[in-house]
Amino acid sequence: MPVKRALLVAEKPSVAKGIANLLSPGTRSTAGAAQYNRIFELKYRINNEDYDVQCTSVSGHFKELDFVQSHRKWHSCHPRELFQAPITSMVKEEFSDLQKQLRQLARRAQLLIVATDNDREGESIGYEIIDECRAVNSRIQVKRMKFTSLTAHQIRQALDRLVEPNKHEADACDARSEIDLRVGAAFTRFQTLRLQQMYQALADDVVSYGGCQFPTLGFVVDRYRQREDHVAEDFWKLAVRHEVQGEGAVDFQWERYRLFDGNVTQLLLDRCLSGPSPRATVTSVTAADRQRWRPAGLNTTELQMIASRKFRMDPQRCLNVAEKLYNRQILSYPRTENDTYKADMPLAELVQHQTVDPRWGAFATNIVTEGPNPQKGKSDTTDHDPIHPLKHAAPGEMDPDEQKVYEIVVRLHPYHLRSRHSKVSDGCRSAHSWRACLAMPKAMSARSLLKSLVSVSTQRVCKLLTADFLRSTLTQHGMPRPFRSCKRASNSIQSTLQ
């Protein structure tokens, strides 16, 4: 009995290569009609049957939507007709060789396995593949393999649990593409033709419209106007810092925060420093425990925010670097909004890879020993897992930007897997903080302060000595509003302040 043939098609060449090497290490590739989409041949057992598998790929979407020929030219119809005009799906000209390769491979295959990304976009690309293969082989059986990272465990598990393609998800993605085409084309033609009649300078330009670009442009314009309308104004504030040699320091903030009059602020400072030996008095110290929840799984937005805040790396650069690490099978798929791990993920195995690193190996070993206990997040989607490391990578294996992104993922990954037996088993950790209320000297009386203010400017007195100012500054024996600490103090500093 002849061995059956299976055609496995991934979404990009690097994924096809990764799948082939995981299923059959050392698999060689051959060239087909598509120069950049190599073909890997291997043997594998699927559903208890032996198959000769040909593994290849596409390069994302290779088809596009467009209006039929009668509506493609700008003056062929009124822009409003584009909302109802017929559209068609066609292979992009630059992917004609890829179309030829898919059809050649599908003719002799009994089974087609779609191995695109596990999301709506991947489902839509999958149906582009299915349509081309069925065009030359209507009897080919079609299955979908779903995986979220290029690991041997996930790839083999996905092949053991093949499912049916989801036409509803593909239709949802295609509907969005159709809406973008109709709205973008209609409004772009309308406003371009209209503005070209009004402004000669736009005679050769296109004024495009997009459902995403216009709201984004609105954000930019609003921010620009805020910056242009802002009027800078000088202000002054008083600050107190208490230092203990060899122990540390604690900063106090003025409860009033700031004043917009330098002369008044200087008078208040002179008042605090008046007298032969001015000293501040700690009127109260309160201690409190704070709890911080350990982070949930890492999604794309959080990764980009951390990279921007810690390394000044722009979001697109961060995502490009993460995708490079994904293609090298170092990180999981980086485009995900999920922050909750699936129950069947081999988390202990993933953390075990990090135990050899001198920077965080001891921490990872502790998690492996006691058992991972992932923190549940707010989003639990079924497409991709949170971003996590797939293996250990030494610094010498990556460029500087890759090291930064990799370290963000690795350092966060074990932290939110802290063991159920650790001190943060309830999902949070505690921290102690102290808040001290500090009163400054009151050597200058309220009457003296009032006389000083009058000597500065009668008009400013009328403006500044409002009821609130009098109540907060001239009452309570002429005391200014107290300073309050905003930074955590150590035990030694606390005892010193008391």
Side-chain angles (χ1 to χ4, degrees):
M1 183 177 179
V3 178
K4 292 184 176 181
R5 289 179 176 272
L7 173 60
L8 191 154
V9 185
E11 187 168 322
K12 51 182 75 73
S14 59
V15 177
K17 180 180 179 180
I19 292 175
N21 288 332
L22 289 171
L23 296 178
S24 180
T27 300
R28 294 183 178 181
S29 64
T30 58
Q35 178 182 359
Y36 301 107
N37 302 90
R38 307 285 292 184
I39 304 169
F40 301 85
E41 297 187 356
L42 57 118
K43 296 182 182 296
Y44 197 79
R45 192 168 181 82
I46 303 172
N47 293 333
N48 297 321
E49 292 186 275
D50 293 326
Y51 279 87
D52 286 336
V53 181
Q54 290 181 305
C55 181
T56 187
S57 68
V58 293
S59 299
H61 284 283
F62 61 94
K63 287 188 172 184
E64 63 181 351
L65 294 176
D66 201 353
F67 297 103
V68 296
Q69 192 64 40
S70 60
H71 289 74
R72 288 182 189 173
K73 294 184 178 180
W74 278 50
H75 296 280
S76 61
C77 65
H78 192 281
R80 64 168 169 263
E81 295 181 26
L82 297 178
F83 289 104
Q84 301 293 333
I87 59 174
T88 182
S89 175
M90 63 186 68
V91 176
K92 300 176 185 178
E93 184 177 352
E94 63 268 27
F95 291 124
S96 58
D97 290 340
L98 177 59
Q99 179 190 32
K100 180 180 178 181
Q101 177 170 298
L102 284 176
R103 293 192 172 196
Q104 288 175 345
L105 297 175
R107 281 190 177 95
R108 297 186 298 166
Q110 287 80 43
L111 174 64
L112 170 63
I113 301 175
V114 178
T116 51
D117 289 344
N118 188 17
D119 52 25
R120 286 184 176 180
E121 209 73 37
E123 212 70 42
S124 177
I125 297 172
Y127 268 90
E128 293 179 8
I129 297 169
I130 293 170
D131 291 342
E132 288 302 317
C133 293
R134 280 182 170 165
V136 296
N137 185 353
S138 60
R139 294 183 298 177
I140 192 170
Q141 184 184 8
V142 179
K143 293 293 182 180
R144 178 83 158 93
M145 64 179 291
K146 293 195 171 187
F147 57 95
T148 58
S149 60
L150 285 175
T151 62
H153 171 78
Q154 286 226 14
I155 297 303
R156 294 181 184 277
Q157 185 182 72
L159 281 171
D160 291 338
R161 301 177 181 178
L162 295 175
V163 298
E164 297 295 326
N166 192 326
K167 182 63 170 151
H168 297 302
E169 289 192 354
D171 288 344
C173 183
D174 294 342
R176 177 191 56 78
S177 299
E178 181 176 340
I179 291 171
D180 288 344
L181 172 64
R182 293 186 184 279
V183 173
F187 279 95
T188 296
R189 292 188 190 183
F190 172 75
Q191 65 186 13
T192 299
L193 295 174
R194 178 61 175 166
L195 293 174
Q196 284 178 347
Q197 295 175 358
M198 299 172 62
Y199 304 101
Q200 186 62 32
L202 297 176
D204 298 324
D205 293 333
V206 174
V207 185
S208 65
Y209 175 91
C212 293
Q213 76 183 54
F214 259 53
T216 303
L217 181 61
F219 297 145
V220 174
V221 171
D222 287 345
R223 186 60 174 172
Y224 171 79
R225 287 175 174 171
Q226 290 175 7
R227 292 175 61 86
E228 289 295 306
D229 295 342
H230 175 71
V231 179
E233 188 174 358
D234 294 334
F235 63 87
W236 291 261
K237 62 171 64 176
L238 300 180
V240 174
R241 182 178 181 87
H242 178 72
E243 296 183 354
V244 179
Q245 188 174 2
E247 296 290 343
V250 59
D251 292 324
F252 293 85
Q253 281 189 348
W254 194 14
E255 193 174 52
R256 177 175 285 280
Y257 182 58
R258 64 187 178 188
L259 288 177
F260 290 92
D261 192 304
N263 294 322
V264 174
T265 309
Q266 183 63 50
L267 287 172
L268 294 174
L269 175 62
D270 294 341
R271 174 188 174 190
C272 294
L273 299 178
S274 61
S277 58
R279 295 177 62 86
T281 304
V282 177
T283 59
S284 65
V285 177
T286 57
D289 289 337
R290 294 185 301 141
Q291 292 183 332
R292 176 181 295 178
W293 291 90
R294 52 197 172 95
L298 185 65
N299 58 28
T300 305
T301 303
E302 188 68 19
L303 173 63
Q304 293 173 318
M305 290 174 59
I306 295 174
S308 176
R309 185 170 65 250
K310 298 294 185 182
F311 301 118
R312 297 296 186 266
M313 185 183 299
D314 68 82
Q316 188 58 51
R317 174 61 180 163
C318 172
L319 191 56
N320 291 341
V321 171
E323 287 186 334
K324 288 173 60 179
L325 295 175
Y326 165 70
N327 292 332
R328 292 171 55 189
Q329 302 174 33
I330 295 176
L331 296 184
S332 63
Y333 190 67
R335 294 178 181 269
T336 176
E337 296 306 314
N338 189 15
D339 58 4
T340 301
Y341 288 98
K342 295 184 178 67
D344 60 349
M345 274 197 68
L347 296 176
E349 178 184 335
L350 293 171
V351 179
Q352 179 68 44
H353 298 321
Q354 304 298 329
T355 57
V356 298
D357 195 286
R359 294 166 292 181
W360 49 71
F363 191 82
T365 300
N366 181 61
I367 293 176
V368 174
T369 302
E370 298 183 350
N373 179 31
Q375 177 74 3
K376 184 174 177 60
K378 296 180 180 180
S379 176
D380 187 6
T381 59
T382 58
D383 49 3
H384 297 286
D385 293 315
I387 306 171
H388 58 274
L390 301 179
K391 64 181 181 181
H392 177 261
E397 302 176 27
M398 300 173 286
D399 62 37
D401 281 350
E402 291 174 343
Q403 291 182 41
K404 293 173 183 177
V405 173
Y406 176 75
E407 189 164 340
I408 292 174
V409 177
V410 173
R411 287 189 180 276
L412 281 180
H413 177 64
Y415 182 63
H416 56 245
L417 300 179
R418 288 291 292 269
S419 167
R420 60 179 62 86
H421 304 298
S422 68
K423 294 181 180 180
V424 291
S425 59
D426 58 350
C428 59
R429 65 183 180 89
S430 298
H432 300 285
S433 62
W434 293 270
R435 189 174 181 86
C437 186
L438 189 67
M440 301 305 293
K442 55 179 182 178
M444 183 181 292
S445 65
R447 184 180 297 276
S448 300
L449 177 61
L450 183 58
K451 289 181 178 179
S452 300
L453 290 173
V454 172
S455 65
V456 174
S457 169
T458 303
Q459 291 183 350
R460 291 197 176 228
V461 170
C462 296
K463 180 179 179 181
L464 292 173
L465 294 184
T466 60
D468 177 68
F469 183 80
L470 288 170
R471 181 171 60 254
S472 60
T473 307
L474 301 180
T475 57
Q476 300 180 356
H477 308 290
M479 294 290 294
R481 300 182 75 176
F483 291 84
R484 297 189 182 277
S485 72
C486 66
K487 290 188 177 181
R488 187 183 306 168
S490 63
N491 283 320
S492 59
I493 296 177
Q494 180 208 8
S495 60
T496 304
L497 290 175
Q498 287 177 326

